[in-house]
Amino acid sequence: MTRYVVWAASWLFILLVLVTPPLMVLTEALKDGVAASLATLSDPDAQAAIWLTFRVTVVTVMLNTIFGILAAWVLVKFRFPGRQLLQILVELPLSISPVVSGLVWLLLFGAQGWFGPLLERWNIHIAFAVPGIILATLFVTLPYVVRTVMPVMEVQGRDAEEAAVLAGAGFWQVLWHVTLPGVRGALLSGVLLTTARALGEFGAVSVVSGHIPGETETMPLHIENLYNGYQSVAAFTMAALLALMAMSAVLLRSAPEWIARLQEKKA
């Protein structure tokens, strides 16, 4: 009896917390019809927000994938002074409010910041511009690739890599042909988590972007702007599109596991 009660309570919680909100967003988006919802996406500011979110996400995922792999490799394969400090720094974005990280970037690169006046002389704009949005998103999404790849690298060990080095392989050959094939599942998971997080980042981007419509408004910021302007259909349509993109990334994360289970059943 206890098992069924726990099962029912778990499903009820999931339905209320995870399933109901997306359904409500979709319902509000379509309350005036599909045509009216799709028409809101043709607005130039909406298209600019979608395109900017896409660009920021692509750059963020690429950079965090490269440096996440290298950071995980260094932390797992080597023991050196400051290793624990480096690991703490990598996980720092998980414990700091994104708003605080956005304020730090303003402190560094804002007009009254440490480097802002110098950059202004060279006509380089980071705060309230796309580079600042990328930096803020990079910070909040940094840990995901590292944290998903590290446990698998630890299980993988060093025997195969040492054998490759003894056979004459260089650093990049070992990394590409020996290390990465063994962690590709975890790497895919980390990349998709980074993608989902980058798509929906609001706090840090809100502080550092300046909320300039058509220039520095990502999709989450544009949703807030539309909702505050009482454009509920447009706001919920954009929110539904953003939720669909993020959920697709999360579902793709589970695809390899589903494929493996299907192959096991066929076997």
Side-chain angles (χ1 to χ4, degrees):
M1 187 65 185
T2 303
R3 179 178 62 182
Y4 289 113
V5 170
V6 172
W7 178 85
S10 300
W11 272 106
L12 179 62
F13 180 81
I14 290 172
L15 289 173
L16 288 176
V17 177
L18 297 180
V19 178
T20 303
L23 288 178
M24 292 181 64
V25 168
L26 185 61
T27 302
E28 288 293 322
L30 298 176
K31 70 178 183 180
D32 291 341
V34 176
S37 298
L38 295 178
T40 63
L41 298 178
S42 63
D43 180 72
D45 288 345
Q47 294 182 354
I50 295 171
W51 176 237
L52 177 59
T53 302
F54 176 77
R55 285 189 295 157
V56 170
T57 300
V58 169
V59 173
T60 299
V61 170
M62 288 178 58
L63 292 177
N64 271 340
T65 298
I66 294 171
F67 292 108
I69 291 171
L70 295 177
W73 191 76
V74 168
L75 287 169
V76 171
K77 305 298 181 180
F78 299 98
R79 297 294 182 268
F80 52 89
R83 178 180 176 275
Q84 293 297 325
L85 177 60
L86 178 59
Q87 189 166 354
I88 291 172
L89 291 175
V90 166
E91 297 179 353
L92 191 62
L94 296 175
S95 58
I96 290 182
S97 169
V99 175
V100 174
S101 68
L103 289 172
V104 170
W105 293 120
L106 282 184
L107 177 63
L108 291 175
F109 302 115
Q112 307 299 323
W114 293 359
F115 308 113
L118 179 62
L119 293 174
E120 285 289 339
R121 295 176 192 170
W122 295 341
N123 198 30
I124 298 175
H125 303 284
I126 294 181
F128 308 135
V130 176
I133 297 175
I134 293 175
L135 285 174
T137 310
L138 279 171
F139 179 83
V140 298
T141 58
L142 173 65
Y144 293 102
V145 171
V146 182
R147 286 175 62 89
T148 54
V149 170
M150 277 184 64
V152 182
M153 282 189 176
E154 289 175 350
V155 173
Q156 189 181 46
R158 301 181 59 178
D159 294 343
E161 294 173 344
E162 290 174 353
V165 171
L166 291 174
F171 168 77
W172 293 110
Q173 290 176 312
V174 172
L175 183 64
W176 186 257
H177 296 289
V178 179
T179 305
L180 290 184
V183 300
R184 58 178 177 267
L187 178 60
L188 176 62
S189 178
V191 167
L192 293 174
L193 284 174
T194 303
T195 301
R197 184 71 174 85
L199 287 170
E201 174 51 33
F202 178 84
V205 173
S206 177
V207 174
V208 81
S209 69
H211 285 261
I212 305 173
E215 295 184 21
T216 62
E217 264 193 357
T218 58
M219 292 175 70
L221 300 185
H222 189 60
I223 291 168
E224 181 195 37
N225 188 35
L226 290 172
Y227 190 77
N228 289 338
Y230 301 101
Q231 302 180 56
S232 60
V233 172
F236 282 105
T237 300
M238 183 67 72
L241 177 60
L242 181 60
L244 179 62
M245 294 165 64
M247 287 189 293
S248 298
V250 174
L251 289 174
L252 284 173
R253 181 178 174 231
S254 302
E257 184 179 349
W258 294 341
I259 294 172
R261 287 181 180 177
L262 288 174
Q263 290 175 345
E264 288 179 1
K265 289 181 179 180
K266 290 179 179 180

